[in-house]
Amino acid sequence: MGEIKDDTADQAADLRRVVMVNEDIKKVIRISSEVNLVALNAMLVAKRSGEKSRGFAVVSSELRVFSRKLEVAMTGLGALIFGLVRDAAAMQKQSRERRHWLNTVAHGGPGADLVAPMLARKEETMGSTGQEIRSDWHKLQIQLGRVLQMCETGGALSRSAKIEAVYGGDMSATLKQVANQIEETVNEIFSTLKLLRTQLAE
């Protein structure tokens, strides 16, 4: 996908793939908001259960920080995807114009001699757009790797929440339930991001 081709069908497929990646990014942003809400709920439950749940409250607070950082990182990925969609659409338009001008030159239609310099400029513009696309695609892959590392931290925090829930006394069962919900949400983010990395590698 890092190479945008001059073939219309390939370009359309590339554009569809970028749009699908964008949908996955929006999904992760929604899920990261859920982590924030679940972590807030966990903090409230820990506060009700008192001193025994202090460790759980600390982990919940860290999970809220994680969810905010994740949301910022995913918004950054969304901005990169927006740039890719814009550039891929521009490449499609430039390719159509180039093909039209090539046909004009090939058939020797009126003004064919005037089209040659315009065609050269169009090819130069397409080359520049292609470089931008490759650069943004590379940035996207690097940023996704960073976000996946961040999610490993989130996974460690969710496991810590499960451990801390054991010490919750009377509220232990409730804390375990909240900890499981946090773990499920973080795992959903992680699996979506891994799928996204696979799509980017295609």
Side-chain angles (χ1 to χ4, degrees):
M1 173 62 207
E3 188 77 28
I4 300 293
K5 299 124 189 135
D6 186 30
D7 180 85
T8 304
D10 287 336
Q11 288 172 3
D14 287 341
L15 189 55
R16 279 193 302 275
R17 193 176 306 155
V18 171
V19 170
M20 282 172 36
V21 167
N22 190 42
E23 288 305 308
D24 284 339
I25 287 172
K26 286 195 282 191
K27 178 182 175 185
V28 173
I29 290 171
R30 282 194 304 272
I31 299 169
S32 65
S33 297
E34 286 175 31
V35 172
N36 190 31
L37 290 173
V38 173
L40 178 61
N41 183 41
M43 288 172 66
L44 295 172
V45 170
K47 189 174 181 180
R48 281 200 308 270
S49 61
E51 192 65 26
K52 293 176 184 174
S53 299
R54 181 179 287 195
F56 191 87
V58 169
V59 172
S60 300
S61 177
E62 288 297 317
L63 276 163
R64 287 196 74 202
V65 170
F66 157 74
S67 73
R68 285 194 293 267
K69 285 182 179 176
L70 180 63
E71 204 165 340
V72 167
M74 294 310 296
T75 301
L77 281 175
L80 282 171
I81 282 289
F82 178 79
L84 277 166
V85 169
R86 182 197 60 223
D87 289 342
M91 180 68 96
Q92 274 191 313
K93 182 181 176 194
Q94 291 163 7
S95 182
R96 282 193 302 270
E97 289 171 353
R98 177 181 177 270
R99 206 167 27 260
H100 172 72
W101 291 346
L102 281 171
N103 284 339
T104 302
V105 170
H107 294 99
D113 54 331
L114 299 173
V115 171
M118 292 166 56
L119 189 56
R121 281 195 300 277
K122 181 60 64 183
E123 287 175 350
E124 189 178 319
T125 302
M126 287 177 69
S128 175
T129 303
Q131 281 181 337
E132 259 182 68
I133 289 170
R134 286 187 290 277
S135 172
D136 282 350
W137 204 252
H138 182 65
K139 285 179 197 170
L140 186 66
Q141 289 170 322
I142 289 170
Q143 183 65 11
L144 182 60
R146 289 183 186 139
V147 175
L148 279 164
Q149 285 178 338
M150 189 187 299
C151 281
E152 287 174 11
T153 302
L157 285 169
S158 70
R159 289 189 293 276
S160 295
K162 288 181 84 172
I163 293 166
E164 292 296 338
V166 174
Y167 304 107
D170 295 344
M171 296 292 287
S172 183
T174 304
L175 292 174
K176 282 181 190 174
Q177 185 179 5
V178 172
N180 284 335
Q181 191 178 1
I182 290 169
E183 185 178 49
E184 284 170 17
T185 308
V186 170
N187 285 343
E188 187 179 357
I189 290 171
F190 199 62
S191 62
T192 302
L193 288 174
K194 284 199 288 189
L195 178 64
L196 184 54
R197 182 173 59 184
T198 302
Q199 289 174 339
L200 291 177
E202 288 174 358

